[in-house]
Amino acid sequence: MESNPSDHPRASTIFLSKSQTDVREKRKSNHINHVSPGQLTKKYSSCSTIFIDDSTVSQPNLRSTIKCVTLAIFYHIKNSQGYEVPDDYYKHDPDHKHIYRFVRTLFSAAQLTAECAIVTLVYLERLLTYAEIDICPSNWKRIVLGAILLASKVWDDQAVWNVDYCQILKDITVEDMNEMERHFLELLQFNINVPASVYAKYYFDLRSLADDNNLSFLLEPLSKERAQKLEAISRLCEDKYKDLSKAAMRRSFSADNLVGIRRSNAILS
């Protein structure tokens, strides 16, 4: 389990290791071809001014977090083993903007939180590790949808019903959503608990992913009032995450009572 990033806080996340390979190759290519990095637009702190964004581990910025999570999914698909896909699916890997629009639409319509986006990525990598499958052009939408579905039910206080997703995605039925949820839980071995240390690791690795790919967070000067507000938010959210983690553990234990669930195929397509 220590090699599984979705369970162990010291294991390296899969998406970051995949993205860093591409970043190193791009920087090497720019160096060989003498490509200028261009004008630096990032703001840096000084002795008189500290620049900071409004995203914290306890209350991440929603838009920036979704961008980072979808970029991580993009690298997963880009570095997949290249499955042969049917004619009615994408014949090429979807780009980052396409994945972002898909996830943003779901989060906006269902009013999901930024924390839910991070847990979605944890469940996605847990699925890929537990089931030993790969995410590819033919199955990425269903895998992402299944991860969002579980994350919204485990993490958010007011979970979205499966029928609500059918109102957002017109080409899917409630029966299909229910079946997909059962498959996903089976492949996760009903392990839906996300320790605070694992959540924090994914948050900071997503920040590193943003820096490597020039996904800038909006920086503003840190004032005394803003610093006090951030400190108060952190204190309030700390107790909330402890309660949610305990609730998730109780829910995972209750899954032992489930019987008669049909064994599912590994690839959700």
Side-chain angles (χ1 to χ4, degrees):
M1 278 299 182
E2 290 194 3
S3 62
N4 188 344
S6 64
D7 289 319
H8 200 277
R10 288 194 293 269
S12 301
T13 51
I14 304 173
F15 72 86
L16 191 60
S17 61
K18 288 185 175 181
S19 69
Q20 286 175 341
T21 302
D22 282 19
V23 171
R24 284 193 296 267
E25 290 297 324
K26 183 177 180 181
R27 289 174 178 171
K28 181 180 179 181
S29 176
N30 289 342
H31 176 73
I32 294 175
N33 297 310
H34 305 286
V35 177
S36 172
Q39 183 179 2
L40 296 177
T41 58
K42 184 177 179 180
K43 298 178 180 179
Y44 290 92
S45 302
S46 64
C47 296
S48 58
T49 306
I50 297 177
F51 290 100
I52 189 172
D53 58 74
D54 64 349
S55 182
T56 64
V57 67
S58 57
Q59 194 173 45
N61 178 275
L62 177 60
R63 183 171 178 270
S64 299
T65 302
I66 293 178
K67 277 191 173 182
C68 293
V69 168
T70 52
L71 182 61
I73 296 171
F74 166 76
Y75 276 115
H76 270 295
I77 300 172
K78 183 178 180 181
N79 292 281
S80 65
Q81 298 301 315
Y83 285 91
E84 183 180 353
V85 298
D87 294 336
D88 56 345
Y89 282 94
Y90 293 102
K91 294 185 178 180
H92 302 285
D93 293 351
D95 60 14
H96 176 216
K97 290 182 180 180
H98 182 74
I99 302 172
Y100 172 73
R101 285 193 297 267
F102 176 76
V103 175
R104 182 193 61 185
T105 300
L106 291 175
F107 270 72
S108 177
Q111 298 182 350
L112 302 178
T113 63
E115 299 95 325
C116 183
I118 297 176
V119 176
T120 294
L121 184 59
V122 175
Y123 286 165
L124 187 146
E125 292 207 340
R126 186 171 292 175
L127 175 76
L128 301 184
T129 305
Y130 280 29
E132 297 182 352
I133 64 175
D134 215 343
I135 184 170
C136 58
S138 63
N139 66 10
W140 74 268
K141 279 190 176 182
R142 292 182 67 83
I143 289 179
V144 171
L145 179 60
I148 291 175
L149 175 64
L150 285 185
S152 65
K153 290 187 175 182
V154 173
W155 197 257
D156 283 353
D157 294 332
Q158 296 180 342
V160 183
W161 292 87
N162 288 5
V163 66
D164 296 326
Y165 286 101
C166 298
Q167 299 297 322
I168 305 171
L169 304 171
K170 301 298 183 181
D171 56 345
I172 194 169
T173 65
V174 178
E175 292 75 15
D176 190 21
M177 291 288 296
N178 294 340
E179 186 72 7
M180 181 173 58
E181 183 180 1
R182 287 194 293 268
H183 287 184
F184 213 104
L185 281 168
E186 274 195 304
L187 295 174
L188 289 186
Q189 301 173 23
F190 301 101
N191 179 14
I192 57 175
N193 181 46
V194 179
S197 56
V198 171
Y199 170 90
K201 176 189 65 177
Y202 272 79
Y203 170 81
F204 287 111
D205 278 4
L206 285 169
R207 295 293 300 251
S208 298
L209 181 71
D211 288 339
D212 291 341
N213 291 271
N214 298 320
L215 288 180
S216 60
F217 287 67
L218 183 61
L219 299 177
E220 295 180 1
L222 179 64
S223 62
K224 180 179 179 180
E225 293 76 13
R226 194 160 173 239
Q228 291 173 341
K229 181 180 178 181
L230 290 173
E231 185 179 2
I233 291 174
S234 296
R235 286 198 300 267
L236 288 173
C237 291
E238 184 177 357
D239 293 335
K240 173 187 173 183
Y241 294 145
K242 290 180 180 178
D243 294 340
L244 286 172
S245 180
K246 292 178 181 178
M249 180 66 76
R250 288 195 297 270
R251 293 178 189 178
S252 64
F253 286 155
S254 66
D256 293 337
N257 297 323
L258 295 177
V259 294
I261 296 180
R262 178 173 56 86
R263 301 305 299 176
S264 61
N265 295 326
I267 297 181
L268 304 176
S269 59

